[in-house]
């Protein structure tokens, strides 16, 4: 029989796995949405994510937390500016991902999320003065070689991958400086951008049917569902992250880009030649080294914390 702690760990593991699995198959959902541009999909995603999160917070009776976090931001102009910046950066990330899927660049999108953890560490070095271990330095060099292989052999710079990686990495860095809850954070971020999304739909759509396609039930439901497919993985991730270790999260985060890679190559027949494979192998090796060094560091930290606790 499982102990309560083991049950919590199991629940957390499945929740985090579910989050990364849903993020991995998200390109399929964006492919389903035909009859709307990437800009229109983005606008609807922002609006309906905001609406859905308000409903979730209302049902869960956590509107007080939303008010508390917003009041905290309103009283601290620096934190408010950082939060607004985070909302703008995640909007760029969302748009780039939708655009990439719409233009048959799912493989490049997967590469972006493979190298995202490395970019996050790089941003930590530059802005948070974090130190690198030898293994992490080697992992950076290998990932750089992988990106260069793709650049020189494919003849095109993987700008989609880098925009996705740096925008999401920057988003994580900004959120680290604010410390707002995941659910209320998404609600506040989308609240900041929702007026611009509404303005875009009103200004650049010449007919009401383009604003809200009531005549196309399938398209209407898919656009309304963008809020659900955005919020549900985040809720699962928040539930998982509160129950399992950072080391486990570190391993699970590669589920999403791996699924994207298979979807891009096997489902949508995107090209993936020997040069691409060589580049990805270099990046996979770099990620193994990076994750291994990160796990060892976390284990040392845990041992140090336990040691201090026992000493007292």
């Amino acid at each position: 029989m499982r102990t309560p702690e083991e049950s919590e760990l199991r629940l957390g593991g499945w929740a985090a796995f579910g989050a990364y699995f849903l993020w991995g198959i998200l390109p399929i959902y964006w492919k389903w949405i035909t009859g709307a541009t990437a800009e229109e999909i983005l606008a609807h995603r922002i609006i309906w994510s905001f609406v859905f999160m308000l409903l979730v917070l209302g049902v869960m009776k956590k509107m007080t937390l939303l008010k508390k976090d917003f009041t905290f931001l309103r009283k601290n102009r620096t934190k408010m500016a950082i939060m607004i910046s985070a909302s703008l950066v995640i909007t760029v990330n969302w748009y780039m991902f939708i655009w990439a899927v719409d233009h048959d660049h799912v493989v490049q999108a997967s590469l972006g999320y493979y190298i995202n953890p490395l970019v996050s560490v790089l941003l930590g070095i530059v802005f948070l003065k974090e130190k690198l271990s030898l293994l992490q330095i080697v992992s950076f060099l290998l990932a750089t070689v992988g990106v260069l292989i793709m650049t020189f052999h494919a003849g095109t710079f993987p700008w989609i991958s880098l925009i996705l990686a740096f925008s999401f990495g920057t988003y994580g860095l900004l959120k680290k400086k604010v410390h707002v809850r995941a659910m209320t954070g998404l609600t506040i971020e989308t609240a900041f951008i929702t007026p611009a999304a509404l303005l875009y739909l009103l200004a650049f759509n010449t007919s009401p049917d383009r604003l809200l396609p009531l005549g196309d039930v399938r398209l209407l439901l898919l656009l309304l569902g963008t809020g659900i497919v955005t919020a549900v993985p985040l809720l699962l991730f928040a539930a998982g992250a509160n129950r399992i270790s950072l080391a486990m999260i570190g391993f699970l985060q590669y589920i999403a880009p791996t699924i994207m890679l298979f979807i891009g190559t096997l489902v949508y027949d995107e090209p993936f030649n020997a040069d691409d494979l060589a580049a990805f192998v270099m990046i996979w090796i770099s990620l193994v080294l990076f994750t291994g060094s990160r796990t060892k560091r976390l284990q040392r930290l845990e041992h140090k914390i336990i040691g201090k606790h026992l000493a007292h």
Side-chain angles (χ1 to χ4, degrees):
M1 188 174 179
R2 294 191 189 94
T3 65
E5 291 79 10
E6 289 172 335
S7 297
E8 281 289 294
L9 283 172
R10 185 181 178 84
L11 177 63
W14 279 111
F17 174 84
Y20 285 114
F21 177 79
L22 291 175
W23 278 323
I25 63 173
L26 196 54
I28 296 175
Y29 192 87
W30 301 136
K31 283 284 190 182
W32 281 348
I33 304 179
T34 55
T37 65
E39 293 79 12
E40 289 169 338
I41 295 171
L42 173 66
H44 280 282
R45 184 182 189 182
I46 293 166
I47 294 165
W48 299 120
S49 293
F50 174 58
V51 172
F52 183 72
M53 286 308 302
L54 284 178
L55 291 173
V56 169
L57 290 171
V59 170
M60 295 178 69
K61 298 181 179 180
K62 291 189 175 182
M63 294 298 288
T64 304
L65 290 179
L66 176 63
K67 184 179 179 181
K68 182 179 178 181
D69 283 347
F70 185 75
T71 301
F72 163 73
L73 291 171
R74 189 165 52 83
K75 290 181 177 179
N76 191 317
R77 291 185 178 181
T78 302
K79 300 283 187 184
M80 178 68 86
I82 292 172
M83 197 68 175
I84 293 172
S85 299
S87 66
L88 293 173
V89 171
I90 198 62
T91 299
V92 171
N93 180 270
W94 284 0
Y95 175 71
M96 193 72 262
F97 186 68
I98 295 168
W99 187 93
V101 173
D102 189 48
H103 289 77
D104 302 321
H105 294 300
V106 176
V107 172
Q108 269 218 49
S110 74
L111 174 64
Y113 288 107
Y114 271 125
I115 64 178
N116 169 245
L118 301 174
V119 168
S120 295
V121 173
L122 179 63
L123 292 172
I125 295 167
V126 175
F127 295 100
L128 303 178
K129 309 303 179 186
E130 295 178 352
K131 302 288 185 180
L132 274 186
S133 68
L134 179 61
L135 277 178
Q136 288 175 328
I137 293 172
V138 173
S139 71
F140 268 108
L141 294 175
L142 288 173
T144 302
V145 171
V147 171
L148 290 175
I149 288 173
M150 289 195 73
T151 301
F152 289 116
H153 287 281
T156 56
F157 188 70
W159 59 274
I160 295 171
S161 305
L162 293 177
I163 289 175
L164 285 170
F166 274 93
S167 60
F168 200 72
T170 303
Y171 173 71
L173 176 67
L174 291 170
K175 289 298 289 288
K176 195 171 182 178
K177 290 179 173 290
V178 178
H179 303 294
V180 172
R181 298 168 185 86
M183 286 191 293
T184 56
L186 178 62
T187 310
I188 294 169
E189 288 159 15
T190 50
F192 287 147
I193 307 299
T194 289
L198 282 169
L199 184 62
Y200 173 82
L201 290 176
L202 290 169
F204 293 93
N205 288 281
T206 55
S207 67
D209 192 56
R210 294 292 294 171
L211 177 63
L212 200 61
L214 299 175
D216 189 338
V217 176
R218 180 181 179 277
L219 178 59
L220 176 62
L221 291 176
L222 286 171
L223 290 174
L224 293 175
T226 56
I228 298 174
V229 300
T230 298
V232 169
L234 181 75
L235 297 174
L236 286 173
F237 178 79
N242 289 332
R243 291 175 170 86
I244 62 177
S245 67
L246 287 174
M248 174 97 39
I249 290 288
F251 281 109
L252 291 176
Q253 69 183 322
Y254 302 119
I255 291 172
T258 301
I259 294 174
M260 288 181 204
L261 177 60
F262 282 115
I263 288 174
T265 54
L266 301 178
V267 178
Y268 299 121
D269 297 318
E270 291 187 17
F272 192 76
N273 54 36
D275 294 328
D276 294 321
L277 179 61
F280 269 79
V281 166
M282 297 294 286
I283 291 165
W284 287 328
I285 293 172
S286 75
L287 290 173
V288 169
L289 294 174
F290 168 76
T291 306
S293 66
R294 191 166 178 262
T295 302
K296 289 177 182 177
R297 184 176 62 82
L298 288 169
Q299 287 175 342
R300 286 197 299 270
L301 182 61
E302 287 172 358
H303 289 318
K304 188 181 293 185
I305 292 171
I306 293 169
K308 287 182 178 178
H309 178 71
L310 291 174
H312 286 84

